[in-house]
Amino acid sequence: MDFIKNLLPSVMSTGVSKSVNDLKSLVEGDPELYALCTRMFREVAPGNPTIPNNLATFIVQLNTLVRSAPAFSTQRWASSPLTKFIEPYVRTPSGYNFFVHAKVNDVFHSILKDWSDYLWSSDSAAVLTDKRNGWFSPEALSEMPDFEETFICDREKPHWGFSSWNDFFNRKLREGARPISEPNNPAIVVASVEGTTYKVASDIKEEDSFWIKDQPYSLKHMFDGDPTVTDFIGGTVYQAYIKPTSYHRWHAPVSGTVARVIEIPGTFCPAQRDSMSSDDWVAASQGYAVHTATRNLIFIETAELGLVCCLYAGLLERGSCETTVKAGDYVSKGEKLGMFHFGGSTHCLIFGPGTNIAWDNKRQVRVGEETFHLSV
């Protein structure tokens, strides 16, 4: 939190942004939220001077955070500063209830929008350097191997040719950097994202208790009640999550026609209560998050696999999803479908019950690699 503390004087001189001030006004004007917030500050890390224990300091530090671009760091959560900032509070009983409150959720969506606007600005490119904590420092590049060979960039230009933090975060692949496995073979399903496999589950129910510790999937909640759910009851879900340092665009896992696109606003803080004792509560909440987080669903109609659903969910500061295709578009395997904006996120491929597929049992997946295939 030192980087926030050092910027407090400049925040006080420039004032608080409207969206952050709206949060302050909401808390002060709502007795329930004010009581929750007061208890949260009492419960959080007593005696730790780096963690705000009053609303005024909390607001100032939050305002500073969303007017800054994330620096690179190998320290836990340091490259996801909003997650790091709210973690101590979410771990408290009152803080958890505060951050999942619908009114707080609505305001935080506005705060994230304002932060995204800043991250598109040229000022946000200041962290795109080879200096310490820069995203092109030796430490950062070791977390993003073969960066120059993989992504469109130019190290001879300022900020390696990226105009903003978001421009860097949504970087594009060089042609041929991620070859598509058997592009003309409809029996092969390729990875839609660059990620780590979380779970493969079969015989998915229409409705289940997804909030319990084992986190079964509940199609009704994943689809937010959309009637398309009936096509997938008894089917298979494959889930993978994406790290903040990874590639964040989505690609079609199959060839076919986009049948429909659904955008679900979801919750800003998709934390499962039972996961709060875990060291990595975000990872432990992966299954829960695909039922509750901001998410986009893209349904692709194929001849061999029937209807396939691609679900993309943004977590915490990663709460912004952008779909770049629409219903009626034909997409070829490997074609771009959309992207996450900022941070690590999670993704599901969902197949119907009549689809006879076999998983290739890969822990790490790259866009375009074979992940599933039709089995006899």
Side-chain angles (χ1 to χ4, degrees):
M1 288 306 183
D2 288 345
F3 79 99
I4 294 178
K5 184 178 179 182
N6 294 337
L7 288 174
L8 290 182
S10 64
V11 175
M12 296 302 291
S13 65
T14 58
V16 177
S17 70
K18 181 182 182 304
S19 59
V20 174
N21 193 62
D22 285 346
L23 176 64
K24 177 175 178 292
S25 298
L26 172 65
V27 172
E28 292 176 336
D30 187 306
E32 177 191 358
L33 290 176
Y34 189 80
L36 270 178
C37 206
T38 300
R39 291 197 298 269
M40 175 180 77
F41 289 129
R42 287 177 185 154
E43 294 165 2
V44 70
N48 187 336
T50 66
I51 299 175
N53 61 2
N54 61 79
L55 182 60
T57 308
F58 178 90
I59 288 297
V60 169
Q61 292 200 1
L62 175 63
N63 189 73
T64 299
L65 188 155
V66 298
R67 289 183 174 181
S68 309
F72 174 81
S73 175
T74 56
Q75 294 182 4
R76 183 171 176 270
W77 298 127
S79 296
S80 298
L82 186 57
T83 302
K84 183 179 178 67
F85 180 62
I86 73 166
E87 179 179 34
Y89 305 101
V90 177
R91 287 187 180 276
T92 69
S94 298
Y96 182 91
N97 290 329
F98 176 79
F99 281 103
V100 300
H101 195 284
K103 291 181 180 178
V104 174
N105 179 71
D106 289 345
V107 174
F108 260 97
H109 276 301
S110 296
I111 291 172
L112 291 176
K113 171 64 169 62
D114 287 350
W115 195 11
S116 180
D117 289 344
Y118 172 80
L119 294 176
W120 278 115
S121 74
S122 58
D123 289 346
S124 70
V127 296
L128 305 179
T129 71
D130 58 6
K131 296 181 173 58
R132 185 173 180 268
N133 296 126
W135 283 90
F136 302 123
S137 64
E139 295 79 11
L141 290 175
S142 70
E143 296 289 323
M144 303 180 291
D146 303 318
F147 189 93
E148 285 186 88
E149 295 79 10
T150 305
F151 302 105
I152 297 173
C153 61
D154 185 347
R155 70 157 61 222
E156 300 303 320
K157 293 182 179 179
H159 313 301
W160 285 39
F162 296 105
S163 60
S164 67
W165 160 262
N166 271 344
D167 187 33
F168 159 75
F169 185 75
N170 290 130
R171 53 193 175 269
K172 298 178 181 179
L173 291 169
R174 292 190 185 277
E175 187 173 352
R178 293 291 184 267
I180 308 303
S181 178
E182 299 190 46
N184 298 316
N185 184 352
I188 301 298
V189 179
V190 301
S192 176
V193 299
E194 209 106 316
T196 302
T197 298
Y198 172 73
K199 185 186 292 187
V200 178
S202 299
D203 196 22
I204 305 304
K205 296 180 181 179
E206 178 177 6
E207 188 169 358
D208 210 334
S209 303
F210 65 87
W211 56 87
I212 63 177
K213 191 170 184 179
D214 290 338
Q215 297 182 2
Y217 293 102
S218 178
L219 289 167
K220 176 181 176 180
H221 296 92
M222 294 172 77
F223 288 18
D224 198 33
D226 188 86
T228 315
V229 69
T230 57
D231 293 320
F232 297 93
I233 297 170
T236 299
V237 172
Y238 165 80
Q239 185 173 358
Y241 61 90
I242 302 94
K243 297 190 298 182
T245 51
S246 294
Y247 175 66
H248 280 84
R249 290 177 181 261
W250 323 328
H251 295 251
V254 293
S255 296
T257 300
V258 176
R260 62 185 315 194
V261 173
I262 304 175
E263 298 182 359
I264 303 171
T267 59
F268 150 73
C269 184
Q272 183 193 5
R273 191 184 294 271
D274 287 352
S275 299
M276 297 318 299
S277 60
S278 169
D279 286 343
D280 191 346
W281 55 274
V282 174
S285 297
Q286 289 284 325
Y288 179 82
V290 296
H291 301 82
T292 58
T294 295
R295 55 203 184 276
N296 285 16
L297 283 69
I298 302 173
F299 297 88
I300 302 175
E301 186 67 56
T302 71
E304 291 75 20
L305 299 164
L307 195 62
V308 176
C309 176
C310 308
L311 183 154
Y312 306 92
L315 310 179
L316 293 160
E317 57 252 76
R318 298 79 99 172
S320 180
C321 306
E322 180 186 354
T323 297
T324 55
V325 294
K326 63 184 184 302
D329 288 348
Y330 182 85
V331 292
S332 298
K333 191 189 305 183
E335 190 172 333
K336 293 173 186 175
L337 298 179
M339 68 199 81
F340 293 113
H341 292 299
F342 184 20
S345 305
T346 194
H347 152 72
C348 289
L349 287 181
I350 310 172
F351 303 94
T355 307
N356 195 18
I357 54 172
W359 177 43
D360 286 359
N361 203 31
K362 290 180 179 176
R363 174 66 174 162
Q364 303 293 329
V365 296
R366 281 184 165 187
V367 164
E369 286 184 336
E370 178 179 339
T371 305
F372 286 88
H373 60 271
L374 279 175
S375 59
V376 180

